[in-house]
């Protein structure tokens, strides 16, 4: 077996999606994963899709996707104990306390294998008042904010295709590899993953945004729709996702409607202007194909993408050119499935001393990271590394600061308005901030000096940006042969769409996430942008594997994480089902096979998600009518309390202003209070797992202001006070945005 994790032995005692996906990621990186199934088999063996729709546990497509490459064995107590005794990592997803009842609790594991990392994935985590609370994927989505309003005439709706269940698996793999970098003497390292916290961690900081809106005297959950959003073309759905005012002006010009260029805000917020605009735009859109609209919009540098389903995603030229979808199944039941979420270059050989943290050190202590990222995905990765000990130098410029600073920031708030974005702050804790004008020779020389000293360089621009500055892998490795570089382009480093522009919504639309979300008779709906942090988590998994490989061999390498490919890895089922059986299932709204469930109104103008197993094929419409009539007479709190007393999974649909009031999060220390120098004290969300023994805190420092560490970093490079002053005078560095 090859790969950066070759030699790592993993035992998987987990079923369905979350635990097996963690095992799959480790297996994709070369680990030897042994899956131990119960006598009745993994539940996914009974899920399908099956060839011809005929149930066959030996030919279940989603099970095969998640478990290909693993060793399979049946559960037997003696055999399981022997496997665990020889493993580095144990993955389990039982209810809290189950392993103890089976003789594999903490003390037993310490005796059996004191060097083990135990990865536990559960609904709410293995501590806190909700530890034993009933949950289903729908109620977890509701409690975390993943269920959100899409249609004013319909209940809020979940994200489809079981996408949410992959998220905890990705975080679990990240937590396990992080714990492997700790070396407590003779102690099992416990990684306790909360699925609720995993889902909450992938949202764009709604609790921080709600707090900010309230301080400005605005509605806490004021939201505007991306423009144009998901719209119909002649042959399907297309996503046009304006991120800037210039995008909007260009789209209006493309549509032949320049007179609407000054009405962006009014149209985004709804009302008669919105209806009038779309009535005017519809004939133009209806007269062109998806491919024509995407090509024209991208020529104008407007983020546009097809809204692919399980059929059309296979025809997407970028996936096809990159050979992303691979053969699955076997004789008589072939299908296509996503390939790995990461690609590695051949290792560049460079012998160096390994960096292995001491027993009491943070897991990334001593790691030097050059952060050339923008917006969210790359910054999320570096925020995580900095939280647990890495020295992160984030590079911006006063000419063009990180565009994420403008997300949720309002220019009328004063000279420092670009410091006030809660979304930027939430993703850029634990870093030192340096401004460099990379268009200047002096600024570029300093960036290259930093790259030459770094252990890791991370960037997530479109490919041509860092290549233009000579900061691509080939250029950096010439300066620093042992470097590991993580490149996270939206569409990949090669292929016909290599230089397309896009952000999270585009990647979700391209991969199929939007097509499976919404009501059957309604349009596809965008998730709330989880692709960005999920990409960051996958990049973290790949990076930690590469660091482990470098510690053994001294060799660095390039890691490529194409964001559309990560999103497709989490949306595997529609592709598998179409390629196997030629079926594209309709969107399901809030329903799911095997459950009677939905999102129902309450007497206090809230919504509650309620979910019970359906073993008899009951009349779902009748169930909805009965439950909806009852919930409309009760408050959300009363409904949740009553259901909990009867062992029924139910949760209020959370919005931003609710998320600081969830007792389970407080009990587990999910939030940490830090003081930002401009906006004051905030409770920032942390990471969705606890490592014991391990780091006691989620974050080390508040997010920095622009250029806050200029002098400190440059003096550390050996520049004199006069040289630093000269750079500031030439505006190579600075602490304020030019023309802000």
């Amino acid at each position: 077996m090859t790969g950066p994790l070759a030699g790592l032995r993993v035992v998987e005692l987990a079923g369905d999606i979350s635990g097996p996906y963690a095992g799959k990621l480790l297996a994709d990186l070369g680990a030897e994963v042994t899956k131990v199934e119960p006598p009745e088999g993994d539940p996914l063996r009974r899920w399908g899709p099956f060839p011809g729709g005929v149930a066959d546990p030996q030919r279940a497509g989603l099970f095969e996707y998640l478990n290909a490459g693993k060793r399979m064995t049946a559960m037997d107590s003696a055999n399981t104990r022997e496997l665990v005794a020889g493993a580095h990592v144990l993955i389990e997803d039982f209810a809290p306390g189950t392993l103890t009842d089976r003789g594999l609790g903490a003390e037993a594991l310490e005796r059996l294998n004191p060097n083990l990392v135990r990865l536990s994935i559960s609904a709410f985590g293995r501590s806190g008042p909700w530890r034993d609370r009933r949950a289903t994927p729908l109620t977890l989505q509701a409690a975390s904010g993943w269920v959100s309003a899409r249609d004013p005439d319909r209940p809020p709706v979940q994200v489809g295709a079981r996408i949410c269940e992959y998220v905890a698996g990705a975080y679990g793999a990240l937590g396990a590899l992080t714990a492997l970098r700790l070396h407590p003497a003779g102690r099992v390292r416990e990684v306790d993953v909360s699925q609720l916290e995993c889902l909450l961690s992938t949202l764009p900081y709604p609790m921080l945004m709600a707090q900010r809106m309230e301080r400005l005297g605005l509605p806490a959950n004021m939201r505007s729709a991306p423009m144009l959003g998901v719209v119909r073309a002649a042959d399907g759905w297309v996503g046009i996702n304006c991120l800037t005012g210039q995008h909007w002006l260009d789209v209006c010009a493309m549509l032949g409607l320049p007179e609407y260029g000054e009405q962006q805000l009014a149209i985004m917020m709804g009302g008669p202007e919105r209806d009038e605009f779309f009535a005017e735009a519809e004939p133009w859109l209806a007269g062109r194909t998806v491919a024509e609209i995407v090509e024209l919009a991208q020529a104008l540098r407007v983020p546009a993408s097809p809204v692919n389903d399980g059929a059309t995603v296979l025809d997407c030229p970028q996936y096809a050119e990159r050979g992303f979808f691979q053969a699955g199944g076997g004789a008589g039941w072939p299908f296509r499935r996503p390939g790995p979420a990461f690609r590695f270059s051949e290792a560049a050989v460079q012998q160096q001393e390994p960096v292995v943290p001491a027993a009491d050190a943070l897991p990334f202590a001593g790691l030097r990271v050059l952060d050339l990222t923008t917006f969210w995905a790359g910054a999320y990765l570096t925020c995580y590394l900095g939280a647990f000990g890495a020295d992160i130098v984030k590079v911006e410029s006063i000419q063009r600061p990180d565009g994420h600073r403008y997300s949720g920031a309002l220019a009328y708030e004063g000279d420092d308005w670009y410091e006030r974005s809660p979304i930027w702050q939430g993703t850029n804790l634990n870093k030192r901030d340096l401004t460099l004008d990379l268009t200047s020779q002096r600024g570029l020389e300093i960036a290259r000096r930093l790259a030459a000293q770094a252990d890791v360089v991370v960037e997530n621009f479109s490919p041509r940006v860092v290549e233009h500055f000579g900061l691509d892998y080939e250029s950096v490795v010439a300066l620093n042969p042992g470097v590991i570089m993580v490149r996270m382009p939206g569409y990949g480093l090669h292929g016909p769409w290599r230089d397309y522009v896009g952000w999270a919504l585009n990647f979700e639309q391209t991969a199929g996430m939007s097509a499976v979300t919404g009501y059957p008779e309604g349009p596809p709906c965008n998730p709330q942008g989880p692709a960005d942090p999920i990409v960051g988590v996958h990049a973290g998994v790949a990076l930690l594997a590469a660091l482990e490989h470098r510690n053994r061999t001294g060799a660095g390498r390039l890691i490529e994480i194409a964001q559309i490919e990560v999103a497709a890895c989490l949306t595997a089922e529609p592709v598998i089902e179409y390629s196997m059986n030629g079926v594209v299932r309709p969107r399901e709204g809030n329903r799911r096979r095997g459950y009677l469930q939905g999102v129902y109104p309450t007497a206090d103008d809230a919504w509650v998600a309620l979910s019970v197993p359906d073993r008899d094929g009951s009349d779902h419409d009748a169930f909805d009518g009965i439950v909806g009539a009852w919930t409309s007479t009760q408050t959300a709190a009363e409904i949740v309390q009553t259901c909990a007393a009867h062992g029924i999974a139910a949760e209020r649909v959370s919005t931003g202003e609710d998320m600081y009031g969830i007792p389970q999060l407080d009990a587990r220390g999910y939030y940490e209070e830090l003081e930002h120098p401009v906006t004051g004290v905030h409770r920032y969300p942390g990471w969705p797992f606890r490592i014991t023994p391990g780091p006691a805190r989620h974050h080390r420092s508040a997010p920095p202001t622009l250029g806050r560490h200029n002098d400190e970093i440059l003096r550390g490079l050996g520049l004199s006070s006069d040289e630093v002053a000269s750079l500031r005078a030439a505006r190579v560095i600075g602490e304020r945005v030019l023309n802000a």
Side-chain angles (χ1 to χ4, degrees):
M1 187 173 291
T2 60
L5 291 183
L8 185 73
R9 296 184 298 277
V10 180
V11 174
E12 180 187 302
L13 301 175
D16 267 331
I17 292 178
S18 291
Y21 189 64
K24 169 184 164 49
L25 291 177
L26 300 180
D28 286 345
L29 290 162
E32 177 188 296
V33 180
T34 301
K35 182 179 182 69
V36 181
E37 288 192 79
E40 68 276 14
D42 187 316
L44 276 189
R45 287 190 181 274
R46 300 183 293 279
W47 178 265
F50 304 108
V54 179
D56 180 348
Q58 301 305 315
R59 301 199 299 175
L62 193 56
F63 175 86
E64 198 270 356
Y65 165 64
L66 288 166
N67 295 287
K70 301 176 184 177
R71 298 182 177 186
M72 315 298 287
T73 186
M75 184 174 288
D76 170 85
S77 58
N79 179 50
T80 301
R81 291 175 66 85
E82 182 179 346
L83 288 170
V84 171
H88 299 101
V89 177
L90 169 65
I91 301 173
E92 59 97 355
D93 64 352
F94 297 111
T98 302
L99 275 193
T100 300
D101 296 341
R102 297 184 179 184
L104 285 174
E107 292 183 2
L109 290 175
E110 297 256 335
R111 292 192 299 270
L112 193 63
N113 184 349
N115 297 311
L116 184 70
V117 169
R118 174 188 173 185
L119 168 59
S120 298
I121 301 175
S122 59
F124 299 106
R126 295 196 297 125
S127 64
W130 290 9
R131 185 187 100 136
D132 299 314
R133 190 175 177 121
R134 288 289 181 90
T136 70
L138 175 65
T139 63
L140 287 171
Q141 284 201 44
S144 66
W146 268 50
V147 172
S148 60
R150 318 283 182 171
D151 180 340
D153 299 321
R154 301 292 296 269
V157 71
Q158 67 179 340
V159 176
R162 303 186 68 172
I163 291 167
C164 72
E165 297 172 57
Y166 292 80
V167 176
Y171 276 108
L174 181 65
L177 292 178
T178 301
L180 283 169
R181 295 177 64 84
L182 298 167
H183 301 278
R187 294 280 305 277
V188 170
R189 287 148 285 174
E190 305 269 0
V191 182
D192 174 16
V193 178
S194 160
Q195 292 174 312
L196 170 70
E197 293 170 14
C198 289
L199 295 181
L200 185 56
S201 295
T202 63
L203 296 180
Y205 308 97
M207 73 297 295
L208 291 169
M209 282 295 296
Q211 181 185 66
R212 175 166 167 73
M213 293 297 103
E214 288 173 347
R215 289 178 177 177
L216 292 171
L218 298 170
N221 285 290
M222 185 175 73
R223 291 179 62 190
S224 58
M227 297 299 294
L228 304 177
V230 174
V231 292
R232 269 202 182 279
D235 60 344
W237 298 96
V238 62
I240 302 174
N241 309 297
C242 295
L243 191 59
T244 68
Q246 188 60 52
H247 288 156
W248 172 252
L249 293 174
D250 291 339
V251 164
C252 289
M254 179 180 77
L255 295 170
L257 300 172
E259 64 272 20
Y260 289 95
E262 301 302 318
Q263 299 184 42
Q264 181 181 14
L265 185 59
I267 294 170
M268 288 176 66
M269 300 307 296
E273 297 92 346
R274 182 183 181 88
D275 293 340
E276 178 184 301
F277 171 78
F278 276 99
E280 295 271 2
E282 186 175 330
W284 189 95
L285 295 165
R288 289 161 177 82
T289 66
V290 170
E292 288 169 343
I293 294 170
V294 169
E295 184 176 3
L296 180 56
Q298 287 286 346
L300 296 171
R301 309 300 290 165
V302 171
S305 51
V307 179
N308 286 318
D309 59 24
T312 60
V313 73
L314 290 166
D315 297 325
C316 176
Q318 186 66 5
Y319 288 122
E321 175 72 20
R322 291 171 59 82
F324 174 67
F325 291 106
Q326 301 178 353
W333 64 297
F335 60 84
R336 308 291 290 173
R337 58 180 172 85
F342 16 68
R343 302 179 187 223
F344 291 81
S345 70
E346 291 297 321
V349 177
Q350 168 69 13
Q351 296 302 319
Q352 60 178 31
E353 291 296 320
V355 179
V356 179
D360 58 349
L362 291 171
F364 307 128
L367 195 69
R368 296 163 299 183
V369 180
L370 179 59
D371 180 345
L372 301 176
T373 68
T374 187
F375 284 94
W376 196 359
Y380 193 74
L381 166 61
T382 54
C383 181
Y384 178 77
L385 299 173
F388 296 143
D391 177 21
I392 313 295
V393 175
K394 180 174 180 65
V395 176
E396 306 180 73
S397 72
I398 59 175
Q399 293 81 9
R400 295 192 66 178
D402 186 337
H404 223 199
R405 286 187 177 274
Y406 302 140
S407 299
L410 302 172
Y412 66 74
E413 290 186 87
D415 292 343
D416 57 5
W417 66 277
Y418 50 84
E419 302 286 6
R420 298 176 179 273
S421 165
I423 298 177
W424 191 89
Q425 289 186 20
T427 312
N428 286 281
L429 301 105
N430 317 308
K431 304 178 184 181
R432 297 193 292 162
D433 197 278
L434 171 69
T435 53
L436 287 176
D437 177 9
L438 297 183
T439 67
S440 72
Q441 187 61 37
R442 295 167 75 188
L444 195 53
E445 287 173 357
I446 292 169
R448 288 175 174 157
R449 288 179 63 182
L450 289 166
Q453 297 180 7
D455 297 295
V456 177
V457 177
V458 183
E459 70 88 16
N460 67 319
F461 286 88
S462 59
R464 62 184 183 178
V465 174
V466 294
E467 293 165 8
H468 171 74
F469 289 121
L471 291 170
D472 55 300
Y473 177 67
E474 290 73 16
S475 301
V476 171
V477 79
L479 301 169
N480 182 351
V483 74
I484 297 173
M485 188 166 189
V486 182
R487 300 194 63 184
M488 305 164 65
Y491 295 96
L493 295 178
H494 73 273
W497 291 7
R498 174 191 124 101
D499 293 318
Y500 273 17
V501 294
W503 53 301
L505 295 183
N506 296 93
F507 311 141
E508 293 161 5
Q509 291 159 359
T510 301
M513 287 185 175
S514 299
V516 295
T517 301
Y519 287 97
E521 67 277 17
C525 294
N526 297 320
Q528 298 182 63
D532 267 314
I534 289 169
V535 167
V537 172
H538 283 75
V541 171
L543 171 60
L544 295 194
L547 286 169
E548 174 62 25
H549 181 264
R550 189 173 68 179
N551 284 344
R552 296 197 313 268
T553 67
R557 63 201 327 171
L558 169 67
I559 304 170
E560 179 190 357
I561 312 287
Q563 298 187 41
I564 62 165
E565 293 179 353
V566 173
C569 285
L570 275 62
T571 322
E573 187 174 354
V575 175
I576 294 171
E577 184 153 30
Y578 178 80
S579 60
M580 180 186 288
N581 294 322
V583 172
V584 176
R585 288 184 182 270
R587 288 174 282 281
E588 295 183 310
N590 288 315
R591 295 187 178 183
R592 172 176 159 176
R593 184 172 12 130
Y595 289 95
L596 294 167
Q597 64 179 34
V599 175
Y600 305 101
T602 71
D604 53 347
D605 290 328
W607 296 93
V608 166
L610 185 151
S611 182
V612 297
D614 177 22
R615 299 182 179 89
D616 304 316
S618 303
D619 184 336
H620 208 307
D621 290 339
F623 176 84
D624 286 342
I626 293 168
V627 173
W630 172 66
T631 62
S632 63
T633 67
Q634 310 285 312
T635 67
E638 290 169 341
I639 296 164
V640 172
Q641 184 177 13
T642 299
C643 288
H646 290 82
I648 295 171
E651 298 292 349
R652 178 190 175 111
V653 174
S654 291
T655 53
E657 77 268 26
D658 304 324
M659 292 173 182
Y660 281 132
I662 299 176
Q664 178 69 3
L665 301 180
D666 290 336
R668 287 173 56 83
Y670 178 69
Y671 296 110
E672 285 191 352
E673 193 171 275
L674 293 163
E675 184 172 3
H676 185 269
V678 173
T679 59
V681 174
H682 301 284
R683 296 176 67 204
Y684 293 99
W687 311 104
F689 47 75
R690 310 291 169 275
I691 301 176
T692 308
R697 292 180 57 85
H698 287 293
H699 297 297
R700 292 193 299 148
S701 61
T705 54
L706 186 68
R708 182 180 181 88
H709 301 95
N710 284 342
D711 290 73
E712 176 185 313
I713 294 169
L714 295 175
R715 293 299 298 273
L717 287 175
L719 275 69
S720 68
S721 298
D722 288 344
E723 288 173 314
V724 173
S726 173
L727 291 170
R728 188 170 281 114
R731 295 181 173 175
V732 175
I733 66 170
E735 290 73 36
R736 300 196 59 79
V737 173
L738 281 182
N739 304 316

